Amino acid sequence: MFGIELTEFLLFGKQVGIAIAGAAALWGFIFSQKDFHCGGDSKCVIYDWIAVRLMPLFLIGVAIGTASYLGLLMTVEAAAHQGIAYLPGTTEVVASFPILTPLFYVLILATIIALSLPDKGGDKYANWITYFYGAMFVVCFAITSFPAWRGEIDARQLFYAGHGFHSIFTVGSVIVLDYLYIMSTRAKILKEHIFALFPTISAVVWFGLAFDLLSSLLIIEGFEPTTKLIFMQTVIGILVINGAFLSGPLARRMLSSAKQGGEQVVGGWKLWANIAGAISIVSWLTITFVDSFENLTFSYTEYFAIYTGAILLAIAGHAFMEWMEERTEPPAFVHN
Amino acid sequence: MHSVFPQKNIHKHNTDVIMESMNAISLTLFEKILIASGMLFFINAAWLASGGGFEALLYAAKTLYLIGIIILVTES
């Protein structure tokens, strides 16, 4: 249907799932690691709380990634499909299974251990989770770096790696950023701590895109000026311009409002932040999705109509989640 | 007859608000370069759609973006 093949769909699921898990692990590690530098300060509690609250997002990513990988193992037959311009062929995808299967075992086993440990609100768990997130980031990075295996490290294999792991720093980190933003609406003290890391997260997203652009230079001859490519160039343009405003003026406004004595963010700014956040997430997901399918049959108008519809849905969904979160009980350490 | 509104203060207040908004949407060099790069991706898409070539504009957009990243490093 619409030129979507099952194998491509499962590869997309694996890529997005592990990118979310990897990004949740990366930023969970960074928040959790902050407590080693603040001694007996009360901030430690907040950083640890944020790190532990990233676990549901990590689990969602692991579930999507693992289910997709299992689907691949069960359905893909080697040499069934070949001749793609720059996506890996099925033979190369199957050749990566001996590398990926042990990594998935480690990921699943460690996740089960993390879920079965008692006293998840305690200090011991908060300290342990730092190492857990650190190790899981490495595992997810390795999984996304091997979407396919050509049997040798050549320019195309390096492209596969760069084109794979950048998802942790781009689409995964953008989703984590939005998740944290929504979670921060529970209390001002959370905003203060979470917003402080936004410039770093934004910089990592920009670097992630730079990795992808650099890796694509390795196979420039593989591109063909198709409708899909023209649409992707449009979305990249939107994504970069929107990102400049989101990580620039909008983020600066959010940061100043979160500081002690800072002015409350008023309706207009909040609306723009929601719109820009939704455009950012939908654009990254669109690029990852469209990039995963070689023979999509949409016209440019159809691509753009679906993309615009998804943005409108995301804005509504985002506003609803924020509304829900504002009504959620703040954590116990919040007294204001 | 004196106005009940302190006109001078209102004027000052409005100016402050406008200036504050202007400052709020001011862009750093990195952000300006990123926007220029994004515009080049748009132009490239339009150029491709009208049957034009591919490499030159794409390289220009990517190069500009990478220059922006270098500036981001030096700005921070």
Side-chain angles (χ1 to χ4, degrees), chain A residues 225-249:
Chain A
T226 56
T227 305
K228 173 181 140 176
L229 194 83
I230 293 169
F231 172 68
M232 289 205 22
Q233 296 286 305
T234 312
V235 177
I236 292 173
I238 293 171
L239 188 150
V240 170
I241 294 170
N242 176 69
F245 283 106
L246 182 60
S247 68

Side-chain angles (χ1 to χ4, degrees), chain A residues 7 76-83 88-98 147-151:
Chain A
T7 302
V76 173
E77 289 172 19
H81 175 66
Q82 269 292 14
T90 314
T91 313
E92 294 170 349
V93 170
V94 172
S96 70
F97 289 169
W149 175 238
R150 289 169 57 78

Side-chain angles (χ1 to χ4, degrees), chain A residues 278-317:
Chain A
I279 291 175
S280 181
I281 284 192
V282 172
S283 299
W284 278 112
L285 283 172
T286 301
I287 285 180
T288 313
F289 182 83
V290 174
D291 199 30
S292 302
F293 300 92
E294 187 61 25
N295 300 308
L296 291 174
T297 55
F298 300 113
S299 67
Y300 187 87
T301 315
E302 286 167 338
Y303 271 125
F304 211 81
I306 296 168
Y307 171 66
T308 313
I311 288 173
L312 292 175
L313 272 177
I315 291 168

Side-chain angles (χ1 to χ4, degrees), chain A residues 202-264:
Chain A
S202 297
V204 167
V205 174
W206 292 127
F207 273 97
L209 181 57
F211 272 121
D212 191 34
L213 295 182
L214 279 173
S215 71
S216 66
L217 294 176
L218 294 167
I219 57 140
I220 192 76
E221 78 286 352
F223 287 106
E224 290 165 20
T226 56
T227 305
K228 173 181 140 176
L229 194 83
I230 293 169
F231 172 68
M232 289 205 22
Q233 296 286 305
T234 312
V235 177
I236 292 173
I238 293 171
L239 188 150
V240 170
I241 294 170
N242 176 69
F245 283 106
L246 182 60
S247 68
L250 282 166
R252 281 195 285 276
R253 183 70 186 83
M254 296 286 164
L255 264 171
S256 67
S257 75
K259 282 177 188 158
Q260 287 295 340
E263 238 180 272
Q264 184 83 12

